[in-house]
Amino acid sequence: MSLVYYSSLTPFMGELLDNSVPTNLKWNGLACKSSFHIPRNCEDRAGWSSAAKTHRSVCELNVVSMSIKGNTCFGCAQVKMHHLNLLYQSTRTSSLVALSNLVASNGFDFVSEEQHEQKNVIRHGKDEVDVDSFGQYVPPWGNLTVDTEPYSDPKSIVEPLVSPRNTVNFSFDEIRIHSLEGEMDEKVLSGRILMLSRSNKVKSALELFKSMEFAGLRPNSHACNSLISCLLRDELLDHAMRIFKVTKRNGSTTGHTYTLILKAVADLQSCESSLRMFAELGGFSREENDFDIIVYNTMISICGKTNNWVDAERIWRSMQNKGWHGTKITYSLLVSIFARCGQNDLALEAYNEMDQKGIIPKDDTYQAVIGVSAKEGKSELALNIFHNMLNRGVKPNLIACNALINSLGKAGQYKLAFMVFEKVKSLGHKPDAYTWNALLNGLYRANLLADAIQLFESIKRERNSQINEHLYNTALMSCQKLGLWDKALQLLWQLESSGLPVSTTSYNLVIGACETARKPKVALQVYEHMIHQKHIPDTFTHLSLIRSCIWASLWGEVEDILEHVAPDVSIYNAAIHGLCLKREFVYAKKLYMKMRESGIKPDGKTRAMMLQNLKKVARKKKKPYICF
């Protein structure tokens, strides 16, 4: 008896396996429920179709059966399919003819021997289909793969879904090639790569890219850049480099492509690796390439991370040689790197080039140039930039204002320094210790020493919390120059009682004030107090003491100092000079001989003075007061 098949069996029967379809089989009073299944979202992974995401396919299967000699045969009577989008047009109906030849016995084995030979097309108890069983009907470049990723929300395509890092790990060789017989439009396929990359479907996007490459199709540059960006989000640098090499070979690279790769190499490997790659791509050569200004800005920024101003300058010169015009970002990066690395001339050169091109600097660029100009002693340039900032409504920060005040003070323009100080207060800035120190130094350099001491007393009285050791030392410098030894002593006691750290410099300034005032005994007392406070004297301390004692003819104290001080050329030279000026030539000669015996080489002035006075020493017969 023949099996009846209805004509409603469509030529797309092969697509029946693309959806999970419950099936009731009846024969001789027995019923069996089974289902054929293929994941609904395989197009999600491979990128073949997006329509099936919003339309669920409905499929109905009716079976008729006939008993023949104890066996029951059954076949398809009717198939109804609604809104079923075909994913793979290359799948043929003939591969499913075996479904109509199933033979069911009275037992529970529902699979015939013919199916075993076909690699178990339908597996009992599993809701899946082995697509490899249809290999004889797949195009020769590879079998189609069906993945089981769940449906993604269509809205997720609008915004990239960044997966957690280090969760995607697979070899590039695992990427399979799929059939593209259904769609060969490069623009459409590039759009699908773009959507898959944005939704972070890494493997699916790679499969589609590799399939297009095998079929001789080229994704556009937008799709390639999006895929590279997707791979780099998951730190798959090796995979991204493979895609980069393909796009470079196909001529699809853009400036954005180079930017993505070079930045990723710097982040995931090292800045040196990124610079080597930049050089290999022709970044330092005079040949034309696909680089744009963003690529150069990226490389300058990478150099800035390691304060590599040398290569930053090389990139800048390469830009100039190739005719590229820097942007505001370019010059901001250059000025920042050069200023941070102490290359003030280069920073000013970058700013001048920026100014010549009429590019308005950023606020932080202005501040950096003011600081650089102040360090280079170019107070006029710093002041002009300060006025430009005010005219553009930009508020300079306190650091830039302090640098300008300090620069004007060093140039002796203390009046302008105080005018800027008043402007700083009108801008709402509160002067700090650096501001006051810059003003005090300006008065000191202008030789307005009394005004400097008066300003210090005013700061100490009104803003005692901002007083520090540097302000004390600036006031002590004025006292030293004026010879105000009593005021210097008063400031020293105040400094010690304030709880602030006291350095050897502070004691040296007080001893220097005593030297200027010809108070050697007071200087010696300060020296003894310094030793008692466990401060180690330095060369300047001993020089000031020896000069004071020689001028007061305190030879015993001079001898004592020289015995307890390690041999030092500066101290011996100063002592010999002082003795010669005091016309103590005998003592000077003995000290000179001791100096030569110690292996210390005197300076030219000391030798000249001793040669000039040797005859005087020979005629002198009086005994020395000091035995060296």
Side-chain angles (χ1 to χ4, degrees):
M1 187 176 295
S2 62
L3 186 66
V4 179
Y5 294 94
Y6 286 164
S7 61
S8 61
L9 183 60
T10 67
F12 306 112
M13 185 60 184
E15 297 306 317
L16 176 62
L17 298 182
D18 288 345
N19 293 275
S20 181
V21 182
T23 307
N24 295 325
L25 305 180
K26 297 183 180 181
W27 71 96
N28 294 338
L30 291 176
C32 176
K33 291 185 178 181
S34 183
S35 62
F36 307 128
H37 171 76
I38 193 166
R40 294 191 181 98
N41 69 327
C42 54
E43 69 279 9
D44 237 1
R45 189 75 180 262
W48 309 108
S49 174
S50 60
K53 293 182 180 179
T54 56
H55 296 86
R56 179 172 297 182
S57 301
V58 179
C59 188
E60 298 178 3
L61 175 64
N62 295 327
V63 179
V64 296
S65 62
M66 296 294 292
S67 297
I68 305 175
K69 295 182 180 181
N71 293 326
T72 303
C73 298
F74 61 93
C76 296
Q78 185 180 7
V79 176
K80 296 180 181 180
M81 306 176 71
H82 306 284
H83 305 291
L84 181 61
N85 288 313
L86 302 181
L87 303 181
Y88 308 107
Q89 299 295 337
S90 62
T91 306
R92 301 184 179 181
T93 308
S94 57
S95 63
L96 296 176
V97 174
L99 292 176
S100 63
N101 297 325
L102 295 176
V103 178
S105 64
N106 290 333
F108 293 96
D109 186 5
F110 298 100
V111 184
S112 65
E113 295 180 357
E114 182 181 359
Q115 290 176 291
H116 283 291
E117 296 174 356
Q118 295 177 1
K119 299 182 181 179
N120 297 326
V121 177
I122 302 176
R123 300 179 180 178
H124 175 63
K126 294 183 180 180
D127 296 336
E128 63 180 12
V129 172
D130 188 353
V131 183
D132 289 340
S133 60
F134 308 116
Q136 64 269 32
Y137 302 108
V138 176
W141 48 80
N143 295 334
L144 300 178
T145 60
V146 180
D147 293 318
T148 58
E149 283 189 359
Y151 267 104
S152 62
D153 188 353
K155 298 179 181 179
S156 65
I157 298 179
V158 178
E159 296 292 337
L161 300 176
V162 182
S163 63
R165 292 195 172 194
N166 299 324
T167 58
V168 180
N169 187 13
F170 55 87
S171 171
F172 198 82
D173 296 333
E174 298 177 15
I175 306 303
R176 300 186 182 181
I177 298 175
H178 300 282
S179 169
L180 295 176
E181 293 182 7
E183 183 62 75
M184 301 295 287
D185 190 336
E186 291 181 348
K187 183 177 181 180
V188 173
L189 294 174
S190 297
R192 291 174 183 172
I193 291 178
L194 183 65
M195 288 189 295
L196 289 170
S197 301
R198 287 178 175 176
S199 58
N200 219 47
K201 301 292 184 180
V202 183
K203 196 169 184 179
S204 302
L206 280 174
E207 288 175 350
L208 184 51
F209 181 90
K210 196 171 182 180
S211 301
M212 289 184 66
E213 181 188 5
F214 190 85
L217 303 177
R218 295 183 180 180
N220 57 34
S221 57
H222 193 187
C224 295
N225 291 341
S226 183
L227 177 56
I228 291 174
S229 179
C230 174
L231 293 168
L232 295 177
R233 283 198 299 267
D234 291 294
E235 298 184 357
L236 298 174
L237 181 59
D238 293 338
H239 295 58
M241 290 298 296
R242 286 175 177 254
I243 303 301
F244 170 69
K245 290 178 181 178
V246 173
T247 56
K248 195 171 185 303
R249 184 175 64 245
N250 294 338
S252 302
T253 52
T254 62
H256 185 54
T257 314
Y258 293 109
T259 301
L260 289 171
I261 291 296
L262 291 170
K263 186 178 183 302
V265 171
D267 293 339
L268 300 178
Q269 292 184 357
S270 66
C271 296
E272 291 75 13
S273 300
S274 182
L275 282 169
R276 283 196 299 270
M277 184 177 182
F278 177 77
E280 292 171 358
L281 294 171
F284 295 117
S285 67
R286 295 181 177 271
E287 298 178 359
E288 295 295 329
N289 49 38
D290 298 330
F291 291 177
D292 56 15
I293 190 61
I294 299 177
V295 178
Y296 289 102
N297 289 346
T298 301
M299 293 308 302
I300 294 173
S301 177
I302 289 172
C303 293
K305 291 181 179 179
T306 56
N307 290 331
N308 184 1
W309 66 269
V310 176
D311 286 316
E313 184 189 6
R314 287 183 63 199
I315 296 170
W316 180 30
R317 303 303 182 194
S318 178
M319 284 175 52
Q320 293 174 330
N321 294 334
K322 292 183 179 180
W324 283 104
H325 298 287
T327 63
K328 181 186 296 187
I329 296 176
T330 310
Y331 295 109
S332 298
L333 289 170
L334 289 171
V335 171
S336 176
I337 294 170
F338 294 145
R340 193 165 59 247
C341 297
Q343 303 300 316
N344 300 329
D345 292 338
L346 290 175
L348 291 176
E349 181 183 351
Y351 172 76
N352 291 332
E353 183 175 320
M354 183 183 192
D355 187 56
Q356 291 172 2
K357 294 180 179 179
I359 300 175
I360 299 177
K362 297 168 62 177
D363 295 354
D364 55 351
T365 305
Y366 274 130
Q367 329 271 15
V369 175
I370 289 178
V372 168
S373 303
K375 290 179 181 179
E376 290 296 306
K378 298 182 178 181
S379 56
E380 293 184 3
L381 176 60
L383 188 60
N384 289 335
I385 296 173
F386 181 79
H387 286 309
N388 290 338
M389 294 180 71
L390 296 178
N391 293 336
R392 291 192 172 99
V394 179
K395 180 180 177 181
N397 59 23
L398 184 59
I399 297 175
C401 295
N402 288 342
L404 177 59
I405 292 173
N406 190 47
S407 176
L408 293 171
K410 287 181 177 179
Q413 299 176 333
Y414 67 94
K415 292 184 179 180
L416 284 176
F418 275 91
M419 290 177 62
V420 174
F421 170 70
E422 294 298 329
K423 188 63 179 178
V424 168
K425 292 193 295 184
S426 67
L427 292 173
H429 293 308
K430 293 182 178 181
D432 58 6
Y434 191 93
T435 312
W436 298 120
N437 195 50
L439 292 171
L440 285 174
N441 277 314
L443 293 173
Y444 177 81
R445 290 176 181 275
N447 208 30
L448 300 174
L449 306 176
D451 293 337
I453 296 174
Q454 183 178 359
L455 177 60
F456 173 78
E457 292 293 341
S458 174
I459 298 169
K460 186 176 62 173
R461 184 172 54 253
E462 299 176 4
R463 303 174 184 270
N464 188 48
S465 60
Q466 296 182 351
I467 292 292
N468 56 25
E469 184 192 4
H470 297 291
L471 296 178
Y472 270 104
N473 288 343
T474 304
L476 287 172
M477 287 166 56
S478 299
C479 293
Q480 179 188 17
K481 206 167 185 180
L482 290 173
L484 300 176
W485 62 274
D486 51 349
K487 181 65 176 178
L489 281 175
Q490 180 185 0
L491 293 178
L492 180 61
W493 309 145
Q494 291 176 0
L495 177 59
E496 289 182 339
S497 61
S498 67
L500 294 172
V502 185
S503 64
T504 301
T505 303
S506 302
Y507 290 101
N508 290 344
L509 290 171
V510 177
I511 294 174
C514 295
E515 178 191 354
T516 305
R518 298 288 191 269
K519 297 292 181 178
K521 294 184 178 180
V522 178
L524 288 171
Q525 291 178 359
V526 175
Y527 174 72
E528 292 175 358
H529 176 73
M530 176 184 179
I531 300 298
H532 185 265
Q533 294 294 326
K534 298 181 180 180
H535 287 278
I536 301 175
D538 56 13
T539 301
F540 298 102
T541 311
H542 295 128
L543 284 174
S544 184
L545 283 172
I546 287 177
R547 288 192 298 262
S548 297
C549 292
I550 288 177
W551 280 107
S553 299
L554 301 176
W555 309 117
E557 286 76 4
V558 173
E559 180 183 2
D560 185 64
I561 292 172
L562 291 175
E563 286 180 355
H564 292 86
V565 174
D568 187 286
V569 63
S570 300
I571 294 176
Y572 277 100
N573 285 332
I576 293 173
H577 296 168
L579 289 171
C580 289
L581 292 174
K582 292 288 288 184
R583 304 186 68 81
E584 296 292 338
F585 303 116
V586 176
Y587 310 147
K589 179 182 178 182
K590 290 187 176 181
L591 187 59
Y592 180 76
M593 297 301 295
K594 184 179 179 180
M595 180 181 182
R596 297 297 299 266
E597 290 173 359
S598 300
I600 300 175
K601 186 177 181 180
D603 59 10
K605 183 178 180 181
T606 302
R607 288 195 299 269
M609 294 182 73
M610 292 308 300
L611 289 173
Q612 182 181 358
N613 296 287
L614 278 177
K615 294 180 180 179
K616 298 178 181 179
V617 174
R619 289 195 302 265
K620 223 170 185 184
K621 297 181 180 179
K622 104 175 147 171
K623 297 181 180 180
Y625 296 108
I626 303 176
C627 183
F628 292 102

